[in-house]
Amino acid sequence: MRIYMQTVSDAVAEAPRYVQIVLEQDLLGGWTLYRETGVQGGKAALKRDIFLDHDAALAAFAKARDAQIKRGFKVMFSQGLESEHGR
């Protein structure tokens, strides 16, 4: 499951910031949560968290998504996720 979010800025010269949150199952049955943040066309940072339990991984995904929405990011794309915050 994946969600891509961006800031919406009035300044044309300023590149938008983005956040991409991805939850994937690994080959051993665990779950990995990737959080990529950065400026469109610039540097990015990637953080990774590993979970053994699917419910804990989903809760962390939702918490990361909600935190970014509170910071002003807007959902641009979501895949594999039914959410009130999605499109």
Side-chain angles (χ1 to χ4, degrees), residues 1 3 5 19-24 31-35 47-68 81:
M1 121 180 21
I3 191 165
M5 308 164 90
V19 174
Q20 180 171 235
I21 306 168
V22 179
L23 182 63
E24 293 181 341
W31 294 87
T32 305
L33 179 68
Y34 298 98
R35 291 172 293 164
K47 294 182 181 181
R48 181 181 67 176
D49 293 312
I50 299 170
F51 298 90
L52 297 177
D53 181 43
H54 182 254
D55 292 334
L58 281 176
F61 183 91
K63 183 178 178 182
R65 178 200 62 209
D66 293 345
Q68 297 305 322
L81 174 68

Side-chain angles (χ1 to χ4, degrees), residues 7 37-38 53 64 81 83:
T7 57
T37 59
D53 181 43
L81 174 68
S83 168

Side-chain angles (χ1 to χ4, degrees), residues 71-82:
R71 292 185 65 212
F73 284 82
K74 304 290 183 201
V75 175
M76 299 296 166
F77 175 80
S78 64
Q79 179 182 18
L81 174 68
E82 293 297 325

